[in-house]
mmCIF file with all atom_site columns, all heavy atoms in Angstrom:
data_model
loop_
_atom_site.group_PDB
_atom_site.id
_atom_site.type_symbol
_atom_site.label_atom_id
_atom_site.label_alt_id
_atom_site.label_comp_id
_atom_site.label_asym_id
_atom_site.label_entity_id
_atom_site.label_seq_id
_atom_site.pdbx_PDB_ins_code
_atom_site.Cartn_x
_atom_site.Cartn_y
_atom_site.Cartn_z
_atom_site.occupancy
_atom_site.B_iso_or_equiv
_atom_site.pdbx_formal_charge
_atom_site.auth_seq_id
_atom_site.auth_comp_id
_atom_site.auth_asym_id
_atom_site.auth_atom_id
_atom_site.pdbx_PDB_model_num
ATOM 1  N N   . LEU A 1 85 ? -84.739 -85.903 -34.039 1.00 0.00 ? 1504 LEU A N   1
ATOM 2  C CA  . LEU A 1 85 ? -84.430 -85.877 -35.478 1.00 0.00 ? 1504 LEU A CA  1
ATOM 3  C C   . LEU A 1 85 ? -84.474 -87.275 -36.074 1.00 0.00 ? 1504 LEU A C   1
ATOM 4  O O   . LEU A 1 85 ? -84.631 -87.430 -37.280 1.00 0.00 ? 1504 LEU A O   1
ATOM 5  C CB  . LEU A 1 85 ? -83.063 -85.231 -35.697 1.00 0.00 ? 1504 LEU A CB  1
ATOM 6  C CG  . LEU A 1 85 ? -82.730 -84.714 -37.093 1.00 0.00 ? 1504 LEU A CG  1
ATOM 7  C CD1 . LEU A 1 85 ? -83.764 -83.726 -37.596 1.00 0.00 ? 1504 LEU A CD1 1
ATOM 8  C CD2 . LEU A 1 85 ? -81.341 -84.056 -37.092 1.00 0.00 ? 1504 LEU A CD2 1
ATOM 9  N N   . GLY A 1 86 ? -84.339 -88.297 -35.236 1.00 0.00 ? 1505 GLY A N   1
ATOM 10 C CA  . GLY A 1 86 ? -84.457 -89.670 -35.708 1.00 0.00 ? 1505 GLY A CA  1
ATOM 11 C C   . GLY A 1 86 ? -83.202 -90.204 -36.378 1.00 0.00 ? 1505 GLY A C   1
ATOM 12 O O   . GLY A 1 86 ? -82.228 -89.470 -36.587 1.00 0.00 ? 1505 GLY A O   1
ATOM 13 N N   . TYR A 1 87 ? -83.245 -91.490 -36.713 1.00 0.00 ? 1506 TYR A N   1
ATOM 14 C CA  . TYR A 1 87 ? -82.099 -92.165 -37.361 1.00 0.00 ? 1506 TYR A CA  1
ATOM 15 C C   . TYR A 1 87 ? -80.818 -91.829 -36.613 1.00 0.00 ? 1506 TYR A C   1
ATOM 16 O O   . TYR A 1 87 ? -79.880 -91.233 -37.148 1.00 0.00 ? 1506 TYR A O   1
ATOM 17 C CB  . TYR A 1 87 ? -82.003 -91.767 -38.841 1.00 0.00 ? 1506 TYR A CB  1
ATOM 18 C CG  . TYR A 1 87 ? -83.227 -92.115 -39.651 1.00 0.00 ? 1506 TYR A CG  1
ATOM 19 C CD1 . TYR A 1 87 ? -84.237 -91.187 -39.872 1.00 0.00 ? 1506 TYR A CD1 1
ATOM 20 C CD2 . TYR A 1 87 ? -83.378 -93.387 -40.197 1.00 0.00 ? 1506 TYR A CD2 1
ATOM 21 C CE1 . TYR A 1 87 ? -85.367 -91.508 -40.610 1.00 0.00 ? 1506 TYR A CE1 1
ATOM 22 C CE2 . TYR A 1 87 ? -84.495 -93.724 -40.952 1.00 0.00 ? 1506 TYR A CE2 1
ATOM 23 C CZ  . TYR A 1 87 ? -85.491 -92.778 -41.156 1.00 0.00 ? 1506 TYR A CZ  1
ATOM 24 O OH  . TYR A 1 87 ? -86.606 -93.121 -41.876 1.00 0.00 ? 1506 TYR A OH  1
ATOM 25 N N   . TYR A 1 88 ? -80.763 -92.246 -35.347 1.00 0.00 ? 1507 TYR A N   1
ATOM 26 C CA  . TYR A 1 88 ? -79.703 -91.803 -34.437 1.00 0.00 ? 1507 TYR A CA  1
ATOM 27 C C   . TYR A 1 88 ? -78.327 -92.341 -34.802 1.00 0.00 ? 1507 TYR A C   1
ATOM 28 O O   . TYR A 1 88 ? -77.321 -91.815 -34.323 1.00 0.00 ? 1507 TYR A O   1
ATOM 29 C CB  . TYR A 1 88 ? -80.074 -92.166 -33.003 1.00 0.00 ? 1507 TYR A CB  1
ATOM 30 C CG  . TYR A 1 88 ? -81.257 -91.383 -32.501 1.00 0.00 ? 1507 TYR A CG  1
ATOM 31 C CD1 . TYR A 1 88 ? -82.540 -91.923 -32.572 1.00 0.00 ? 1507 TYR A CD1 1
ATOM 32 C CD2 . TYR A 1 88 ? -81.102 -90.085 -32.012 1.00 0.00 ? 1507 TYR A CD2 1
ATOM 33 C CE1 . TYR A 1 88 ? -83.636 -91.176 -32.141 1.00 0.00 ? 1507 TYR A CE1 1
ATOM 34 C CE2 . TYR A 1 88 ? -82.185 -89.359 -31.586 1.00 0.00 ? 1507 TYR A CE2 1
ATOM 35 C CZ  . TYR A 1 88 ? -83.457 -89.913 -31.649 1.00 0.00 ? 1507 TYR A CZ  1
ATOM 36 O OH  . TYR A 1 88 ? -84.533 -89.171 -31.229 1.00 0.00 ? 1507 TYR A OH  1
ATOM 37 N N   . ALA A 1 89 ? -78.264 -93.370 -35.628 1.00 0.00 ? 1508 ALA A N   1
ATOM 38 C CA  . ALA A 1 89 ? -76.949 -93.825 -36.100 1.00 0.00 ? 1508 ALA A CA  1
ATOM 39 C C   . ALA A 1 89 ? -76.220 -92.693 -36.807 1.00 0.00 ? 1508 ALA A C   1
ATOM 40 O O   . ALA A 1 89 ? -74.980 -92.653 -36.814 1.00 0.00 ? 1508 ALA A O   1
ATOM 41 C CB  . ALA A 1 89 ? -77.102 -95.026 -37.027 1.00 0.00 ? 1508 ALA A CB  1
ATOM 42 N N   . ARG A 1 90 ? -76.963 -91.756 -37.396 1.00 0.00 ? 1509 ARG A N   1
ATOM 43 C CA  . ARG A 1 90 ? -76.320 -90.617 -38.058 1.00 0.00 ? 1509 ARG A CA  1
ATOM 44 C C   . ARG A 1 90 ? -75.502 -89.805 -37.062 1.00 0.00 ? 1509 ARG A C   1
ATOM 45 O O   . ARG A 1 90 ? -74.380 -89.370 -37.349 1.00 0.00 ? 1509 ARG A O   1
ATOM 46 C CB  . ARG A 1 90 ? -77.375 -89.741 -38.735 1.00 0.00 ? 1509 ARG A CB  1
ATOM 47 C CG  . ARG A 1 90 ? -78.144 -90.409 -39.848 1.00 0.00 ? 1509 ARG A CG  1
ATOM 48 C CD  . ARG A 1 90 ? -79.146 -89.453 -40.498 1.00 0.00 ? 1509 ARG A CD  1
ATOM 49 N NE  . ARG A 1 90 ? -80.182 -89.013 -39.592 1.00 0.00 ? 1509 ARG A NE  1
ATOM 50 C CZ  . ARG A 1 90 ? -81.104 -88.101 -39.888 1.00 0.00 ? 1509 ARG A CZ  1
ATOM 51 N NH1 . ARG A 1 90 ? -81.101 -87.515 -41.067 1.00 0.00 ? 1509 ARG A NH1 1
ATOM 52 N NH2 . ARG A 1 90 ? -82.036 -87.763 -39.010 1.00 0.00 ? 1509 ARG A NH2 1
ATOM 53 N N   . ALA A 1 91 ? -76.078 -89.558 -35.877 1.00 0.00 ? 1510 ALA A N   1
ATOM 54 C CA  . ALA A 1 91 ? -75.373 -88.775 -34.866 1.00 0.00 ? 1510 ALA A CA  1
ATOM 55 C C   . ALA A 1 91 ? -74.166 -89.534 -34.325 1.00 0.00 ? 1510 ALA A C   1
ATOM 56 O O   . ALA A 1 91 ? -73.096 -88.959 -34.120 1.00 0.00 ? 1510 ALA A O   1
ATOM 57 C CB  . ALA A 1 91 ? -76.332 -88.404 -33.742 1.00 0.00 ? 1510 ALA A CB  1
ATOM 58 N N   . ARG A 1 92 ? -74.337 -90.822 -34.090 1.00 0.00 ? 1511 ARG A N   1
ATOM 59 C CA  . ARG A 1 92 ? -73.213 -91.618 -33.580 1.00 0.00 ? 1511 ARG A CA  1
ATOM 60 C C   . ARG A 1 92 ? -72.088 -91.648 -34.613 1.00 0.00 ? 1511 ARG A C   1
ATOM 61 O O   . ARG A 1 92 ? -70.903 -91.549 -34.259 1.00 0.00 ? 1511 ARG A O   1
ATOM 62 C CB  . ARG A 1 92 ? -73.673 -93.041 -33.260 1.00 0.00 ? 1511 ARG A CB  1
ATOM 63 C CG  . ARG A 1 92 ? -74.708 -93.108 -32.145 1.00 0.00 ? 1511 ARG A CG  1
ATOM 64 C CD  . ARG A 1 92 ? -74.880 -94.527 -31.621 1.00 0.00 ? 1511 ARG A CD  1
ATOM 65 N NE  . ARG A 1 92 ? -75.347 -95.451 -32.628 1.00 0.00 ? 1511 ARG A NE  1
ATOM 66 C CZ  . ARG A 1 92 ? -76.621 -95.664 -32.931 1.00 0.00 ? 1511 ARG A CZ  1
ATOM 67 N NH1 . ARG A 1 92 ? -77.582 -94.988 -32.290 1.00 0.00 ? 1511 ARG A NH1 1
ATOM 68 N NH2 . ARG A 1 92 ? -76.984 -96.544 -33.845 1.00 0.00 ? 1511 ARG A NH2 1
ATOM 69 N N   . ASN A 1 93 ? -72.445 -91.766 -35.896 1.00 0.00 ? 1512 ASN A N   1
ATOM 70 C CA  . ASN A 1 93 ? -71.420 -91.773 -36.940 1.00 0.00 ? 1512 ASN A CA  1
ATOM 71 C C   . ASN A 1 93 ? -70.737 -90.424 -37.073 1.00 0.00 ? 1512 ASN A C   1
ATOM 72 O O   . ASN A 1 93 ? -69.531 -90.351 -37.336 1.00 0.00 ? 1512 ASN A O   1
ATOM 73 C CB  . ASN A 1 93 ? -72.028 -92.198 -38.278 1.00 0.00 ? 1512 ASN A CB  1
ATOM 74 C CG  . ASN A 1 93 ? -72.254 -93.690 -38.357 1.00 0.00 ? 1512 ASN A CG  1
ATOM 75 O OD1 . ASN A 1 93 ? -71.557 -94.479 -37.717 1.00 0.00 ? 1512 ASN A OD1 1
ATOM 76 N ND2 . ASN A 1 93 ? -73.239 -94.106 -39.146 1.00 0.00 ? 1512 ASN A ND2 1
ATOM 77 N N   . LEU A 1 94 ? -71.477 -89.339 -36.926 1.00 0.00 ? 1513 LEU A N   1
ATOM 78 C CA  . LEU A 1 94 ? -70.860 -87.998 -36.930 1.00 0.00 ? 1513 LEU A CA  1
ATOM 79 C C   . LEU A 1 94 ? -69.795 -87.908 -35.862 1.00 0.00 ? 1513 LEU A C   1
ATOM 80 O O   . LEU A 1 94 ? -68.682 -87.429 -36.099 1.00 0.00 ? 1513 LEU A O   1
ATOM 81 C CB  . LEU A 1 94 ? -71.922 -86.922 -36.694 1.00 0.00 ? 1513 LEU A CB  1
ATOM 82 C CG  . LEU A 1 94 ? -72.666 -86.325 -37.885 1.00 0.00 ? 1513 LEU A CG  1
ATOM 83 C CD1 . LEU A 1 94 ? -73.778 -85.415 -37.380 1.00 0.00 ? 1513 LEU A CD1 1
ATOM 84 C CD2 . LEU A 1 94 ? -71.737 -85.553 -38.802 1.00 0.00 ? 1513 LEU A CD2 1
#
Side-chain angles (χ1 to χ4, degrees):
L1504 198 55
Y1506 300 95
Y1507 293 95
R1509 296 182 296 175
R1511 296 194 299 274
N1512 283 333
L1513 271 173

